[in-house]
Structures are given as C-alpha cells and as structure tokens.
Amino acid sequence: MLKNSPNGYGLIAIVIHWLMAITIFSVFGLGLYMVELTYYDTWYKGSLDLHKSIGMTLFIVLLLRMVWRFVNVTPQSADNNASRFEKGLAHYGHIFLYILMAVLMLSGYLISTADGRAIDVFGVVSIPAIPFSFENQEDIAGEIHEILAWALIVLSAGHALAALKHHFINKNNTLVRMLKVLPSNK
C-alpha cells in the first residue's frame, strides 16, 4: 500500500517521514559541529557545503511531503479516547512542524545566499541567490536559523514522546502506523 488509508499511513508517507527525521537530526548534529570549526579547519568548507546541500535537498523533500499530504487521505486518529484538546494539539503541532521546517530551511537559504552567490547542491544543481539582499542578512538569518533549529529539535522530541505515550500508555497503534504499513481494514 503506497498511499494512505483512513486507518493508516502508506509506504511513501512512512519513508518520507523517517527519511526526514533521520536527516534533520543528522544535519542538526552537523550544524553543531560546524559552528565549532574555524575558517582554517580542514573540514570547514566541506561541512558547510554538505550542510547546505542536505538542507536544500531536504527543502525539496519537504515540499514533496506537503504535496503528498495534501493529495492523500489523512488517517483517522488511532486514539478513540483522545480529547478534543489532544486532537487539536496533534493537528496544529503537525502544521507547526511543517511551518517551522520551511522557515528554518528558508533562513538557511538566506544565510547561504547573502553574498549573492548561488548554492551548489552536491555538484548537481545550482540554486540561485535572490536578486536582492538586506542589511546584515547573513547575521539576522543566522540567528533565526539557530533558534528555529533548536525549536525544531525540541518540538520533534515532544512529537516522539507523544508517539511513545500513545504506544506505551494509551496502548493504541499511533506509533505502529508510522513504523509499518497496516492492512487498510485494521
């Protein structure tokens, strides 16, 4: 089952979810490593280029993920006992995660293109800079990028804890539905 059903997520949604989760935590770790490097460190340019390439690729995957979510059915809540508040929190939490990721990646783009140069993505494609910039663009976008990166990690950790709560405390299949494709009649 590639597509979502009313009872669970399809293979495409599951793969994109986990691919993005692993990549986001990895690129966050790379970012923490990068900020400790000086210009003269051996891996300074390589880590920066890798971070930019992964970030731009992740942005494209995020756009594809949002389109996929829009054209697919959203599975019903696996927790029949969830309050209206919990369901609202989950719904708006997911929307906030998408917005946070998009703005985080946009701020990274603004950092990287502040000098007017394009971003080279793995030597395959070049993403052009916008034809204008604003004063202190790199510094302002850098501050925003750092704050949003930490916010994304904290919110993602909360998202993971909520999934674990559903699995171990509520004893429903919220987490299982994102680990494997379930038959559509379950």
Side-chain angles (χ1 to χ4, degrees):
M1 181 171 75
L2 295 178
K3 295 178 81 176
N4 298 348
S5 75
N7 299 314
Y9 294 96
L11 186 61
I12 292 174
I14 292 170
V15 168
I16 291 173
H17 175 272
W18 289 109
L19 178 68
M20 286 190 71
I22 291 165
T23 305
I24 285 169
F25 277 93
S26 299
V27 82
F28 178 78
L30 178 59
L32 289 177
Y33 172 74
M34 282 174 19
V35 297
E36 297 300 320
L37 297 175
T38 67
Y39 181 78
Y40 299 103
D41 283 312
T42 318
W43 214 57
Y44 176 78
K45 182 162 177 12
S47 63
L48 191 58
D49 289 344
L50 181 61
H51 189 85
K52 290 177 191 181
S53 291
I54 293 171
M56 292 308 298
T57 304
L58 207 50
F59 184 68
I60 291 167
V61 173
L62 175 64
L63 293 176
L64 292 172
R65 181 178 185 179
M66 291 189 314
V67 167
W68 188 253
R69 182 177 172 140
F70 183 73
V71 300
N72 261 283
V73 65
T74 301
Q76 300 165 355
S77 174
D79 189 351
N80 297 329
N81 299 320
S83 69
R84 188 173 167 182
F85 174 76
E86 284 178 303
K87 288 179 181 178
L89 191 62
H91 175 73
Y92 289 110
H94 280 100
I95 291 171
F96 189 64
L97 274 169
Y98 284 114
I99 292 169
L100 189 58
M101 287 185 280
V103 175
L104 172 66
M105 293 171 202
L106 178 62
S107 67
Y109 169 80
L110 291 174
I111 296 166
S112 301
T113 59
D115 61 2
R117 286 187 287 170
I119 300 172
D120 178 52
V121 181
F122 295 116
V124 174
V125 68
S126 200
I127 308 295
I130 52 177
F132 60 87
S133 63
F134 52 89
E135 192 173 331
N136 298 322
Q137 177 175 317
E138 187 174 8
D139 294 333
I140 293 168
E143 289 291 321
I144 292 168
H145 193 71
E146 181 181 6
I147 291 166
L148 295 180
W150 280 104
L152 180 59
I153 294 303
V154 169
L155 191 59
S156 295
H159 176 72
L161 288 173
L164 292 171
K165 174 213 174 256
H166 279 283
H167 187 74
F168 292 109
I169 295 173
N170 297 27
K171 306 240 187 265
N172 62 48
N173 69 350
T174 298
L175 177 60
V176 173
R177 293 187 323 170
M178 194 45 77
L179 292 173
K180 67 180 183 178
V181 176
L182 300 175
S184 55
N185 62 351
K186 247 191 171 183

